């Protein structure tokens, strides 16, 4: 296993040339966050993640978290010290408001730190990620008192947070939840029910855990319209801010999982626990989507981050493993010299570069949507975020599984052996396509909610924006001809699929939903190709060009053509999917 090498130079390039970070840094809120300052921060963060967090990854997988007889949970041995150092260094506070002790940096910077943390140890990184979602919800909907009481210590990392949505009978269908919230005379609520799959619902990294719990009041409307959101702290907080008695929330068990063993996934029981309403009753879904939207980008980033770590390790192995003679060699060769191994490595490298551009473009648009002074600019950025977020989540996590599988393949039989570490990445990343909304749900959101914005104009305008690169590619010389040709062909296919969805989806929603996953994949492939072409053009204009033109050509020639191959599936409709009834599927 090789050490983790933080890709700070790649992050800096993407922020500057793909995400448009200098425009973000020019916003009044971020005058202190110029690119040069940010690169210095990322270098320090990378050193910390590689030196402190990355060494805990293998140990965490082998030891796992363990529930104790008293219901407490012990995390792997090195986690507690690493988390203490993480809090002391202040890395989790970087993207949050200075009003509550944060660094007041853009979210695009916070995501870069989160990427390096996740590459270092995904299971460990899940604790700050869930805390992030809870912080976002409180910033958006919490009362002044709630913000002052909880946010400073959550932003510092001294207290952690969770999101409690899922119940045994209510997974993706959140409206089916039955957890009850009964109002008391003092204005608090008695929360009762059971929640499952609660990441870091109990642990020993911090004394306090702030649970955000979705529950239903007695007279609430049925379904999602009757859901409210509550703060339910593990320990009650006294008026002076000190911690008081234990609340009535207990960890019944933790799950035994395929991967992310170091992260405790808890079943929590609330037995008339004291909770405090966030905002108003029955707006829990609005609050949930605040938590989910940034979390979905972060989960897409997890696919990228684990793929990056797996790629680094598979490349190291390929350079060292001597096996067979490459064409023209006079002695046995490292396997990196064999064409098919080189194909797998290039596939990993090109997809990772495409994903990184996509993630940080999305994050920068989130910053613009929140902070830009012009209303029209904010509105368009919000539309772009709505388009890109399900694509980033799904494409990032699908590729996370595919690329860690390629990394394992490069190891050959040794990849199937746990001690090399390749299998851990493959196991860890698999959950990312499932949680925070399965990738099928992302596809349904893309065609069911996002595609119809302004009658489809939002999507078509983005396709037109990607087409604007054609002139630059034509002027860049013959080295860009293949990229230009492939990108133009695949944009045609994507536009055809989009117009088909717009024409047929309203009349037959099943037809659009049947093709939604291949359609979503088309978007990921084409946006990735567009961004790699942009990167190659940008790099051609700097003093020391690197390998981005080669990556863009490889992607355009060998990966991007998959998009048009998916056109038939995206537009096939639902007839054949439902031609067999459920009993016939079993025969």
């Amino acid at each position: 296993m090789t050490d983790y090498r933080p890709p700070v130079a790649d992050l800096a390039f993407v922020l500057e040339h793909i995400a448009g970070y200098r425009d973000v840094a020019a916003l009044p809120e971020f005058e202190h966050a110029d690119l040069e300052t940010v690169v210095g921060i990322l270098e320090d963060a990378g050193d910390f993640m590689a030196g402190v967090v990355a060494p805990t990854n293998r140990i965490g997988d082998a030891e796992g978290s363990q529930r104790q007889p008293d219901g407490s949970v012990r995390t792997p041995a090195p986690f507690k010290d690493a988390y203490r150092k993480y809090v002391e260094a202040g890395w989790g506070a970087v993207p949050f408001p200075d009003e509550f002790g944060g660094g007041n940096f853009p979210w695009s910077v916070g995501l870069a730190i989160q990427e390096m943390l996740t590459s270092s140890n995904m299971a460990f990184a899940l604790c700050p990620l869930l805390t992030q979602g809870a912080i976002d919800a409180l910033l958006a909907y919490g009362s002044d008192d709630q913000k002052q009481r909880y946010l400073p210590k959550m932003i510092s990392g001294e207290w952690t947070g969770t999101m409690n949505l899922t119940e045994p009978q209510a997974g993706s269908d959140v409206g089916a939840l039955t957890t009850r919230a009964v109002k008391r005379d003092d204005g608090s609520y008695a929360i009762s029910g059971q929640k499952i799959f609660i990441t870091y619902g109990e642990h020993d990294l911090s004394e306090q855990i702030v649970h955000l719990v979705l529950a239903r009041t007695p007279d609430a409307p049925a379904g999602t319209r009757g859901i409210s959101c509550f703060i339910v702290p593990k320990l009650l907080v006294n008026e002076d801010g000190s911690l008081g008695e234990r609340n009535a929330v207990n960890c019944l068990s933790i799950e035994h999982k395929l991967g992310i063993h170091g992260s405790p996934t808890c079943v929590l029981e609330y037995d008339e626990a004291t909770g405090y309403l966030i905002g108003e009753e029955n707006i829990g879904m609005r609050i949930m989507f605040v938590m989910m939207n940034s979390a979905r980008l972060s989960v897409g980033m997890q696919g990228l981050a684990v793929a990056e770590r797996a790629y680094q390790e598979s490349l190291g192995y390929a350079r060292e493993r001597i096996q067979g003679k490459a064409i023209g060699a006079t002695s046995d060769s490292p396997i990196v010299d064999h064409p098919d191994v080189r194909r797998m490595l290039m596939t990993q490298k090109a997809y990772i570069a495409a994903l990184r551009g996509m993630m940080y473009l999305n994050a920068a648009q989130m910053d613009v949507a929140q902070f830009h002074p012009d209303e029209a600019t904010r509105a368009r950025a919000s539309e772009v975020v709505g388009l890109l977020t399900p694509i980033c989540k799904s494409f990032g996590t699908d590729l996370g599984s595919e690329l860690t599988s390629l990394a394992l393949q490069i190891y050959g039989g040794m990849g199937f052996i746990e001690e090399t570490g390749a299998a851990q990445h493959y196991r860890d990343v698999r959950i990312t396509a499932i949680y925070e909304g399965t990738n099928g749900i992302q596809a349904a959101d893309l065609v069911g909610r996002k595609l119809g914005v302004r009658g489809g104009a939002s999507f078509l305008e983005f396709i037109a924006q990607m087409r604007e690169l054609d002139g630059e590619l034509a002027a860049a010389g013959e080295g860009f001809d293949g990229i230009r040709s492939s990108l133009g062909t695949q944009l045609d296919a994507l536009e055809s699929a989009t117009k088909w969805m717009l024409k047929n989806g309203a009349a037959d929603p099943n037809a659009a939903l049947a093709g939604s996953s291949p359609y979503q994949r088309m978007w990921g492939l084409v946006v990735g190709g567009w961004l790699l072409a942009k990167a190659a053009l940008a790099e051609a204009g700097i003093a020391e060009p690197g390998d981005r033109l080669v990556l863009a050509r490889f992607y355009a020639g060998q990966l991007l053509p998959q998009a048009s191959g998916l056109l038939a599936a995206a537009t096939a409709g639902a007839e054949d999917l439902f031609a067999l009834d459920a009993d016939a599927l079993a025969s």
Side-chain angles (χ1 to χ4, degrees):
M1 293 172 60
T2 58
D3 294 331
Y4 170 58
R5 298 178 302 283
V8 175
D10 284 342
L11 289 168
F13 182 92
V14 167
L15 286 172
E16 180 173 9
H17 297 289
I18 303 302
Y21 181 78
R22 291 193 186 276
D23 292 335
V24 174
L27 297 172
E29 288 79 5
F30 302 129
E31 291 176 348
H32 62 294
D34 59 273
L35 184 62
E36 290 71 23
T37 298
V38 166
V39 172
I41 290 171
L42 295 183
E43 288 172 345
D44 290 343
D47 289 343
F48 178 89
M49 304 309 172
V52 175
V53 182
T56 70
N57 193 46
R58 181 68 182 135
I59 300 170
D61 181 63
E63 290 188 8
S65 285
Q66 304 291 330
R67 182 184 179 275
Q68 305 305 298
D70 63 357
S72 64
V73 172
R74 185 179 66 225
T75 56
F79 277 28
K80 197 167 185 178
D81 183 59
Y83 187 76
R84 177 184 59 80
K85 292 175 179 176
Y86 174 83
V87 171
E88 290 174 351
W91 293 120
V94 169
F96 294 113
D98 52 7
E99 176 185 359
F100 302 107
N104 210 50
F105 278 77
W107 176 233
S108 41
V109 178
L111 189 71
I113 294 172
Q114 196 175 73
E115 180 193 326
M116 293 187 287
L117 176 64
T118 303
S119 289
S120 297
N121 186 334
M122 178 180 159
F124 180 91
L126 279 166
C127 186
L129 191 154
L130 271 295
T131 303
Q132 160 208 317
I135 291 169
D136 288 341
L138 288 174
L139 284 170
Y141 285 97
S143 67
D144 289 341
D145 177 71
Q146 289 170 345
K147 290 176 182 178
Q148 293 297 333
R149 186 177 296 266
Y150 295 102
L151 285 179
K153 289 188 179 294
M154 293 175 72
I155 285 172
S156 72
E158 295 170 81
W159 296 355
T160 65
T162 69
M163 298 190 293
N164 283 234
L165 284 62
T166 306
E167 299 179 7
Q169 79 294 339
S172 299
D173 182 11
V174 179
L177 67 82
T178 59
T179 296
R180 303 183 311 281
V182 179
K183 194 170 185 177
R184 294 169 171 159
D185 292 340
D186 64 358
S188 68
Y189 289 73
I191 311 296
S192 299
Q194 187 179 107
K195 297 289 185 177
I196 64 171
F197 300 157
I198 308 306
T199 301
Y200 279 91
E202 177 60 41
H203 61 82
D204 58 359
L205 303 185
S206 66
E207 186 177 11
Q208 174 71 303
I209 305 173
V210 181
H211 302 293
L212 266 57
V213 182
L214 294 187
R216 192 181 301 281
T217 54
D219 298 324
T224 56
R225 294 185 301 112
I227 293 174
S228 302
C229 188
F230 300 87
I231 298 169
V232 187
K234 173 182 174 179
L235 301 174
L236 298 177
V237 181
N238 298 320
E239 286 302 315
D240 63 359
S242 63
L243 295 179
E245 63 184 29
R246 176 72 185 252
N247 208 350
V249 52
N250 295 293
C251 176
L252 298 182
S253 63
I254 61 174
E255 305 296 349
H256 302 279
K257 309 187 296 289
L258 176 69
I260 53 170
H261 294 151
S263 168
T265 302
C266 302
V267 177
L268 296 183
E269 181 182 52
Y270 294 86
D271 185 10
E272 296 192 353
T274 298
Y276 306 96
L277 180 67
I278 303 174
E280 306 168 4
E281 289 187 7
N282 303 328
I283 64 166
M285 289 300 291
R286 271 188 265 165
I287 298 172
M288 184 194 78
F289 277 112
V290 170
M291 294 189 281
M292 294 283 279
N293 280 339
S294 63
R296 284 174 171 174
L297 175 58
S298 292
V299 170
M301 176 278 302
Q302 288 180 329
L304 159 66
V306 179
E308 170 70 38
R309 183 82 181 266
Y311 167 68
Q312 290 186 14
E313 293 177 3
S314 67
L315 174 61
Y317 183 83
R319 296 173 70 178
E320 296 172 359
R321 172 65 167 162
I322 305 298
Q323 191 79 13
K325 290 185 177 67
I327 301 298
T330 57
S331 59
D332 286 350
S333 307
I335 62 173
V336 71
D337 290 342
H338 296 296
D340 195 58
V341 173
R342 189 64 68 95
R343 176 193 61 82
M344 290 188 283
L345 290 167
M346 284 292 291
T347 298
Q348 291 178 78
K349 187 175 177 66
Y351 269 138
I352 287 168
L355 285 178
R356 188 165 285 129
M358 205 177 304
M359 301 297 164
Y360 291 99
L361 175 62
N362 194 345
Q365 288 298 298
M366 284 180 164
D367 291 327
V368 172
Q370 184 173 0
F371 295 107
H372 200 282
D374 178 67
E375 182 178 356
T377 302
R378 291 197 307 273
R380 179 56 185 156
S382 293
E383 289 182 359
V384 171
V385 169
L387 165 62
L388 289 179
T389 298
I391 297 166
C392 283
K393 196 280 181 183
S394 62
F395 197 52
T397 58
D398 282 344
L399 285 180
S401 291
E402 294 169 26
L403 300 184
T404 54
S405 180
L406 279 181
L408 188 153
Q409 185 77 12
I410 288 169
Y411 279 86
M414 291 304 296
F416 209 68
I417 306 303
E418 287 288 349
E419 67 194 58
T420 64
Q424 180 189 346
H425 301 313
Y426 187 52
R427 290 186 286 101
D428 282 354
V429 83
R430 185 60 184 86
I431 184 60
T432 60
I434 298 172
Y435 60 23
E436 298 302 338
T438 67
N439 287 358
I441 288 174
Q442 304 304 315
D445 176 57
L446 187 72
V447 303
R449 295 179 66 243
K450 307 299 175 53
L451 179 59
V453 172
R454 292 192 288 116
S458 176
F459 278 43
L460 293 173
E461 285 173 14
F462 197 92
I463 292 172
Q465 179 184 347
M466 290 192 283
R467 288 192 186 279
E468 291 173 2
L469 200 66
D470 185 74
E472 292 182 57
L473 292 170
E478 63 181 19
F480 289 81
D481 287 349
I483 300 170
R484 181 191 178 204
S485 175
S486 180
L487 184 58
T489 298
Q490 305 311 317
L491 280 166
D492 289 344
L494 180 61
E495 186 167 349
S496 293
T498 300
K499 289 179 177 178
W500 185 94
M501 288 281 175
L502 289 168
K503 179 181 178 181
N504 294 278
D508 183 4
N510 261 351
L513 291 170
S516 60
S517 286
Y519 176 64
Q520 183 170 249
R521 179 79 173 206
M522 290 177 73
W523 268 100
L525 287 162
V526 173
V527 172
W530 171 61
L531 293 175
L532 286 183
K534 286 188 69 173
L537 287 167
E539 191 176 68
I542 64 178
E544 297 180 5
D547 57 12
R548 286 180 171 83
L549 176 56
V550 173
L551 287 181
R553 286 205 308 256
F554 175 85
Y555 189 100
Q558 300 200 33
L559 305 177
L560 182 55
Q562 297 171 66
S564 57
L566 291 167
L567 178 59
T571 59
E575 182 178 355
D576 287 339
L577 292 185
F578 292 95
L580 300 179
D581 61 25
D583 291 337
L585 289 173
S587 62

